[in-house]
Amino acid sequence: MSNTPGRPLRADAERSVRAILAAAERVLAETPGASVEQIAEAAGVTRTTVHRRFANRQALVDALATEAAAKLAEAIEDGHPETAPPLVALHRATANVLRVKAAWGFALGPAAAQSEQAARTHDEIARRCVDLLGRIREQGVIAADADLEWVRRVFYALIGEALHGDAGAAPADTDPETLATRIVDTLLYGVGPRRTG
């Protein structure tokens, strides 16, 4: 985040960076072309303070993308994908991801240029998702011959639809737990009638 990699920031500098990133997410989510000056004003700091932390606007956007990717990775880790029962882990991780994506819409959206670090984090998240889907397949819930990379892509698409729905309109039900249940049920069981017996 800082221009001095390897050196931890002082507490006040860390707070300043957090305020700048939070303001950048709010401002850019509403106005993707917003200037550094607008972000600084929303953060309650001067433009010079922003430039002290970030060399230019792109560096700020890259830091924002990196921070959001880290939050997404934390959300998935909180689902315990390697140790919790696989279906429990999938549901919990899905609900957590919905919360993070709703809070970091710009930084996790296509408008934010991905830094290399953010891209690596997203690659690791995708790998962990496929691993979790593999655990679910071992339980016989996913077909043995299913292409897990395709299943992951469908899962991501369902999350996107749950969040953005009809041309960006808010979904009818925005409770992350309810949406997670709908996503997981659709992913694993489709939309046909449930089989009994």
Side-chain angles (χ1 to χ4, degrees), residues 139-154:
Q139 292 189 329
V141 179
I142 295 175
D145 61 349
D147 177 347
L148 294 182
E149 178 57 25
W150 174 253
V151 177
R152 179 195 68 78
R153 289 170 58 195
V154 170

Side-chain angles (χ1 to χ4, degrees), residues 76 81-82 86 90 93-94 97 121-137 142 148-156 159 187:
I76 290 162
E82 284 85 19
L90 183 63
T94 302
V97 163
T121 301
H122 284 290
D123 288 345
E124 176 62 14
I125 288 169
R127 184 197 63 74
R128 294 184 78 191
C129 181
V130 168
D131 288 349
L132 177 56
L133 293 170
R135 291 182 65 213
I136 294 169
R137 182 169 65 183
I142 295 175
L148 294 182
E149 178 57 25
W150 174 253
V151 177
R152 179 195 68 78
R153 289 170 58 195
V154 170
F155 176 54
Y156 279 26
I159 289 172
L187 178 71

Side-chain angles (χ1 to χ4, degrees), residues 26-46:
R26 286 192 314 273
V27 170
L28 293 170
E30 191 170 311
T31 310
S35 67
V36 171
E37 289 80 3
Q38 290 170 291
I39 293 167
E41 183 179 342
V45 299
T46 66

Side-chain angles (χ1 to χ4, degrees), residues 54-106:
F54 306 100
N56 52 44
R57 187 181 186 280
Q58 188 59 53
L60 173 56
V61 171
D62 287 348
L64 189 60
T66 298
E67 179 75 5
K71 295 290 184 191
L72 200 58
E74 289 170 15
I76 290 162
E77 182 61 31
D78 184 61
H80 305 287
E82 284 85 19
T83 57
L87 293 177
V88 171
L90 183 63
H91 182 276
R92 182 163 182 171
T94 302
N96 291 345
V97 163
L98 288 166
R99 289 182 185 96
V100 172
K101 283 185 164 280
W104 295 83
F106 175 83

